[in-house]
Amino acid sequence: MRAARLIKMVLLLQSRPLMTATELAQELDVSERTVTRDALALSEAGVPVYAERGRSGGYRLIGGYRTRLTGLARTEAEALFLSGLPGALREMGLDDAASAARLKVSAALLPSVRDAPASAARRFHLDAPGWYQEPSTPELLGPLADAVWADRRVSARYRRRDGSDVERALEPYGLVLKAGVWYVCARVDAGPGGQDSSGRSDASRDFRVYRIDRFTALALHDDGCFVRDETFDLPAFWEQRAAEFARSLLAAEVVVRVSSAGAESLPSAVDRAAANEALTAASAPDELGRVTVVLPVESLDVAYAQLLSLGPEVEVLEPPELRARFAGALRTAARMYE
């Protein structure tokens, strides 16, 4: 533990011209007294750490000292590619590895560009969760992330949307953070017989998506590691599956007539992709510039809430029950404003 701290202290001093005892104590999560002892230990070991006293003093390396302790460990190298996602790194338990990797990279940079990481951090920050959502870390994210990095099979208990629990042996391929919600893309483990629980062979087994906050139990599988399918493309798979999921939600259709202003606002009121596709296939404008579109929607209740926001810029034509609901709402509103 102390050896790792001493290495980190050297890398910090190598990446910055001068650091105070307070700054080092905060970076190393120790007391200033421990910083003093560590600096003395480094000096006795031959590392030229020099302490400058006074208000503008601190610790620095002298004589252009450079350490060669900048080789990245595997976990540090992997975490480095996620260093723009501090919250995700913290939730997966990789923040220490990412911190060490950033220090090693900074220490290896030329002095003229050594401030580049800090400059980028001051100018860019990614906040993944959506508005009005309280982000929470799934309890089993850490162990599952470990299994993903190590290609380890897991035995899991998963709670379905209807509240029932199922047992699954999974090969977890990748993690996805979408709008503050964590998902794992996994294959159902084929097992010794080469078939999954539904009887499909290894070649035909598909990948599935599970919400991690619905896992209620997780354990590493006794069989150890699985052989990863190197053709699996996580970003492409997620893009396809997300598009399929979005389309699956649009289980109903409504026919509406929208004005030019309504057509402009429609993608903001309903599913954007569905609205754009419907407008592309719309009828030619009538004499008032209105077009008729067939719009996929999640349900009639959802369509009512969404389309009502467009007010007089949209007229519901079908189905009759939704048109009657709009007519009743507008008559009620008219009486209120008379």
Side-chain angles (χ1 to χ4, degrees):
M1 181 68 179
R2 191 189 184 200
R5 189 176 71 241
L6 292 174
I7 292 173
K8 186 173 183 179
M9 183 174 180
V10 173
L11 292 173
L12 284 168
L13 293 174
Q14 186 173 318
S15 62
R16 306 181 196 179
L18 183 74
M19 292 188 70
T20 67
T22 301
E23 291 172 337
L24 282 169
Q26 290 174 346
E27 290 281 356
L28 301 172
D29 196 22
V30 295
S31 67
E32 293 185 26
R33 181 174 296 181
T34 299
V35 169
T36 302
R37 289 199 298 264
D38 286 351
L40 180 60
L42 287 171
S43 182
E44 292 174 348
V47 179
V49 178
Y50 178 72
E52 294 183 355
R53 301 186 181 280
R55 178 175 298 179
S56 58
Y59 293 90
R60 64 184 178 89
L61 294 175
I62 61 175
Y65 179 83
R66 305 283 295 175
T67 178
R68 299 196 177 198
L69 299 172
T70 53
L72 293 177
R74 180 175 183 84
T75 55
E76 295 169 350
E78 291 170 338
L80 184 62
F81 288 97
L82 297 172
S83 57
L85 304 168
L89 283 167
R90 185 172 56 253
E91 292 178 4
M92 288 189 291
L94 294 173
D95 46 345
D96 287 341
S99 176
R102 287 192 295 268
L103 274 176
K104 290 180 178 181
V105 171
S106 297
L109 293 174
L110 294 173
S112 59
V113 294
R114 198 165 288 161
D115 65 337
S119 176
R122 286 194 296 265
R123 289 167 171 80
F124 177 77
H125 174 69
L126 176 64
D127 184 11
W131 290 105
Y132 314 116
Q133 293 181 358
E134 190 67 30
S136 60
T137 304
E139 182 179 350
L140 298 175
L141 174 61
L144 190 54
D146 291 341
V148 169
W149 289 116
D151 293 341
R152 291 291 302 273
R153 292 185 178 92
V154 297
S155 297
R157 184 180 301 117
Y158 185 77
R159 179 158 296 153
R160 290 170 166 165
R161 192 176 300 179
D162 60 7
S164 62
D165 283 358
V166 293
E167 299 280 348
R168 288 284 185 266
L170 300 175
E171 299 173 355
Y173 269 67
L175 300 173
V176 175
L177 177 61
K178 170 71 171 179
V181 179
W182 282 96
Y183 299 87
V184 61
C185 303
R187 256 177 149 176
V188 175
D189 185 13
Q195 294 182 334
D196 67 9
S197 56
S198 63
R200 291 177 298 181
S201 65
D202 184 79
S204 65
R205 287 183 297 128
D206 60 353
F207 291 90
R208 305 180 187 180
V209 176
Y210 299 90
R211 276 186 62 144
I212 297 179
D213 57 8
R214 289 185 183 160
F215 284 106
T216 58
L218 188 77
L220 294 179
H221 207 281
D222 294 338
D223 291 344
C225 297
F226 62 89
V227 178
R228 176 175 286 267
D229 180 357
E230 297 300 334
T231 65
F232 177 72
D233 185 334
L234 179 60
F237 167 78
W238 177 260
E239 182 178 1
Q240 176 187 357
R241 190 56 59 92
E244 291 173 355
F245 176 73
R247 285 194 296 269
S248 71
L249 293 178
L250 306 179
E253 279 187 349
V254 299
V255 181
V256 297
R257 184 184 297 139
V258 293
S259 65
S260 56
E264 186 175 339
S265 301
L266 189 62
S268 300
V270 300
D271 181 84
R272 183 174 296 274
N276 288 332
E277 290 180 9
L279 289 170
T280 300
S283 65
D286 63 14
E287 64 278 4
L288 298 179
R290 301 174 302 177
V291 296
T292 300
V293 299
V294 179
L295 182 66
V297 293
E298 186 174 340
S299 67
L300 296 187
D301 287 338
V302 171
Y304 173 78
Q306 292 174 334
L307 296 175
L308 198 61
S309 66
L310 298 180
E313 306 303 330
V314 61
E315 178 189 0
V316 176
L317 303 178
E318 295 179 17
E321 59 269 30
L322 184 60
R323 180 178 176 87
R325 189 173 177 182
F326 267 80
L330 293 175
R331 281 193 296 267
T332 301
R335 288 195 297 269
M336 290 173 59
Y337 285 94
E338 285 177 351

